[in-house]
Amino acid sequence: MTAAIIDGKAIAAMLRAKVASEVARLKSDHGVTPGLAVVLVGTDPASEVYVRSKSKAVIEAGMAPCDHKLPATTSEQEVLALVARLNADPAVSGILVQLPLPPQIDAQKVIAAIDPLKDVDGFHPINVGRLSSGLPALTPCTPAGCVILAKSVRGSLAGLDAVVIGRSNIVGKPVAQLLLAENATVTIAHSKTRDLPGLCRRADILVAAIGKSEFVRGDWIKPGATVIDVGINRVAGEGGKARIVGDVAFDEAKAVAGAITPVPGGVGPMTIACLMLNTVRAACALKGVKAEI
Ligand code: NDP
């Protein structure tokens, strides 16, 4: 069997187009322009790249960007004061503080200071709690993207066995909660899990969020399974040129799985698309308009 390749780029582009038409409707029917505030502290090169692509996507969707670039020496108090201003600003529908933050700033404190209605990353304890209680919530973007990709292959996930490798607050735990909300039977694996290959072999849906290049081998995969590879790992390629690989040995897995996400071009593009979706939904909730997306 050769797996179908799940085209995250195309699915993300479709989602972004839907967001753009919802934004157009909000503007014309309700006079509302969703705005996303992105706060970047310091000059981490990877974070700068993410922030640039987020701002580009905001503009493409017809929303209002509001970027705040602060020096690496910014104090926690200054970041908290900025978050308070953004919470109070009616032009701002979503607030995203780019992580990681410099060591003098407590990221948890900053996340907890964001208005949960504007928490488009879905990391605020209120949104985390609402998600695990099965209540409507702003949900983390990469996990939401994983579930959209799995559903693009399977339709309903009800009753399927899902294994999530990784239990971080950013990916593993929320992806497991979202799969549970889709009525999958979910197992979360981590570094202390016994017989990980055996566990993975039972999975109809396998989500790998480990951060170790090509860790999941082909013979760990149940024939026909849907494999969602979240990993982004930089390795030396031919001629010493860096290339990006996932947490799954792609060529081996492709020979066994029913469908698989490539890296790059799978989960990655979904993160920003889901951020745009969260921003437009947050704008609707804040303005009391029923979202049509
Ligand atoms: P973390 O390092 O926070 O978590 C990694 C998880 O993997 C931990 O729960 C850890 O277990 C588990 N793990 C590590 N080693 C093993 C092992 N040998 N066997 C089983 N489990 C293991 O990473 P993140 O969740 O933040 O990210 C995971 C990957 O996803 C990274 O490659 C990251 O770059 C990528 N990523 C991609 C995004 C995208 O947009 N596509 C967005 C966010 C992340 P334990 O808890 O026991 O230590």
Side-chain angles (χ1 to χ4, degrees):
M1 172 182 264
T2 298
I5 307 301
I6 306 171
D7 188 346
K9 258 186 174 169
I11 296 170
M14 276 190 287
L15 180 55
R16 280 162 64 165
K18 279 191 202 160
V19 169
S21 35
E22 176 70 346
V23 170
R25 183 186 73 85
L26 282 177
K27 282 183 184 172
S28 64
D29 295 4
H30 301 279
V32 170
T33 301
L36 176 65
V38 177
V39 178
L40 174 64
V41 186
T43 54
D44 176 62
S47 295
E48 284 186 328
V49 171
Y50 291 141
V51 167
R52 264 200 304 277
S53 32
K54 283 166 188 168
S55 306
K56 196 168 153 247
V58 166
I59 293 164
E60 276 171 17
M63 302 194 273
C66 167
D67 292 349
H68 291 265
K69 288 188 80 174
L70 308 175
T73 50
T74 307
S75 71
E76 186 178 278
Q77 272 317 310
E78 286 168 312
V79 177
L80 291 171
L82 173 59
V83 168
R85 283 203 301 281
L86 297 171
N87 282 342
D89 185 343
V92 172
S93 342
I95 302 170
L96 182 149
V97 178
Q98 185 66 44
L99 302 177
L101 288 166
Q104 74 276 14
I105 303 170
D106 180 345
Q108 286 310 322
K109 223 169 168 179
V110 173
I111 290 167
I114 296 172
D115 179 345
L117 292 173
K118 296 189 177 187
D119 167 40
V120 285
D121 251 344
F123 295 155
H124 191 288
I126 295 261
N127 282 316
V128 175
R130 290 183 70 87
L131 172 61
S132 52
S133 303
L135 297 168
L138 285 166
T139 54
C141 301
T142 301
C146 292
V147 172
I148 293 172
L149 294 179
K151 287 178 78 176
S152 77
V153 178
R154 295 283 187 154
S156 168
L157 307 184
L160 297 182
D161 283 322
V163 170
V164 179
I165 318 175
R167 57 174 164 180
S168 72
N169 291 333
I170 291 175
V171 189
K173 281 181 196 151
V175 100
Q177 288 292 352
L178 288 166
L179 289 166
L180 190 60
E182 294 290 338
N183 296 313
T185 302
V186 185
T187 306
I188 306 176
H190 46 77
S191 65
K192 307 290 186 291
T193 296
R194 287 190 207 152
D195 187 21
L196 185 59
L199 181 69
C200 292
R201 271 182 218 117
R202 300 210 301 267
D204 302 306
I205 310 280
L206 181 61
V207 180
I210 311 155
K212 291 191 172 161
S213 56
E214 302 179 328
F215 183 78
V216 175
R217 309 311 305 189
D219 63 358
W220 297 20
I221 290 164
K222 178 176 174 176
T226 301
V227 178
I228 308 292
D229 189 351
V230 188
I232 301 175
N233 308 289
R234 198 172 287 273
V235 296
E238 269 171 44
K241 226 180 133 198
R243 66 187 182 101
I244 304 288
V245 298
D247 287 345
V248 178
F250 182 79
D251 288 335
E252 289 178 19
K254 200 175 70 172
V256 189
I260 184 167
T261 58
V263 177
V267 173
M270 294 302 291
T271 300
I272 288 186
C274 290
L275 175 65
M276 300 302 112
L277 179 62
N278 276 353
T279 306
V280 76
R281 284 182 173 161
C284 289
L286 287 159
K287 302 287 179 186
V289 174
K290 191 174 177 319
E292 290 186 7
I293 188 168

